[in-house]
Amino acid sequence: MPVPPDEAIEQLVQRRHAELDQVREAAHTLAAQTRDRTAGRRTGELIEIVQGQTSVQRAFDRLQRVARTEVRLLAAPPYAAAKAVNSVQLERASQLTYRVVYTIDALADPAVLAATAEHVRTGELARLAPAVPTKLAIADRTLALLPLVWTDAAQDAAVLVHSCALLDALIALFEGVWAAASPLALSGTGAPTARGEISDEDRKLLSLLVAGMTDEAAGARLGMSRRTVVRRMQHLMETAGAQSRLQLGWRARERGWLPET
């Protein structure tokens, strides 16, 4: 029998509302179960010890494959893998964002330098730091891998950290190192170079100001007006990501912009 459209549509709408209510209740139930399982997990389920260079490499590959959006790396020598090129990264370059901080020592190795150039060409976001506090790999906010012992002689033990407060701390550590590092870009020859490097004149200006000279005195020594000195200092602060001149001095020393004393 034909019925008025509004009555038929109203029944369909009520039915859909009931189905959505059931889905919402099921989602709440699953979320509660997930929280309960996470809260009740033993330490052994949150932290895994991985031993053996082969096992460490497999754990690193596993971490990259479980990532869904981003992989964050602090890279420094020595390396457990024999090959510098990260084959899993090249395979997943179109699916993931890679953010990597390299140490100056890492890029001193020609093989690592060539691999870095290849990674950057495939979309890697790379930065350079004088040093990093630890080697580290993080997949999204779910899994992290770091060496258990970080020495030239011991590269066969690592720790896998699952979602917990320790993982949150490792993510914060990476973001702090990333913020202080200098961006890398490919040069005309295809080799990675640090963006934001400063000129010799800026180095001299920084040295004079750190030594205690005023803007006017440093400018007079270098043949600059005070306005030019202020403008150059503002540019240097932006390049170093510093919020004050005091912080700029600290960052300049970290990046090797100041002569060693």
Side-chain angles (χ1 to χ4, degrees), residues 41-61:
R41 292 173 75 178
R42 299 187 303 273
T43 303
E45 296 175 317
L46 297 174
I47 299 176
E48 300 178 47
I49 305 298
V50 182
Q51 294 184 316
Q53 289 190 6
T54 301
S55 296
V56 171
Q57 182 60 44
R58 287 176 179 170
F60 180 49
D61 292 346

Side-chain angles (χ1 to χ4, degrees), residues 78-230:
Y79 298 100
K83 295 182 179 180
V85 175
N86 184 346
S87 58
V88 178
Q89 177 176 345
L90 299 182
E91 176 187 333
R92 304 209 63 196
S94 61
Q95 305 165 7
L96 300 175
T97 297
Y98 275 78
R99 285 196 288 149
V100 186
V101 179
Y102 295 92
T103 64
I104 296 173
D105 289 342
L107 295 188
D109 184 335
V112 175
L113 185 63
T116 300
E118 187 169 354
H119 296 157
V120 171
R121 279 193 292 268
T122 61
E124 175 181 287
L125 304 176
R127 293 193 175 186
L128 183 66
V132 294
T134 182
K135 296 168 68 173
L136 179 65
I138 304 173
D140 302 327
R141 303 187 69 87
T142 58
L143 191 64
L145 177 70
L146 68 159
L148 189 60
V149 179
W150 185 16
T151 66
D152 293 343
Q155 289 295 301
D156 58 354
V159 180
L160 272 171
V161 181
H162 296 264
S163 296
C164 62
L166 177 57
L167 178 59
D168 294 338
L170 293 173
I171 292 173
L173 173 65
F174 172 88
E175 294 300 337
V177 175
W178 174 265
S182 302
L184 285 178
L186 289 177
S187 66
T189 61
T193 59
R195 289 203 304 264
E197 282 300 314
I198 63 175
S199 65
D200 290 339
E201 194 171 44
D202 284 337
R203 291 177 188 273
K204 293 176 182 177
L205 176 60
L206 268 175
S207 299
L208 294 175
L209 293 175
V210 169
M213 282 192 176
T214 63
D215 289 358
E216 292 83 355
R221 176 73 66 87
L222 298 175
M224 303 178 188
S225 67
R226 183 181 182 280
R227 180 176 298 179
T228 300
V229 171
V230 172

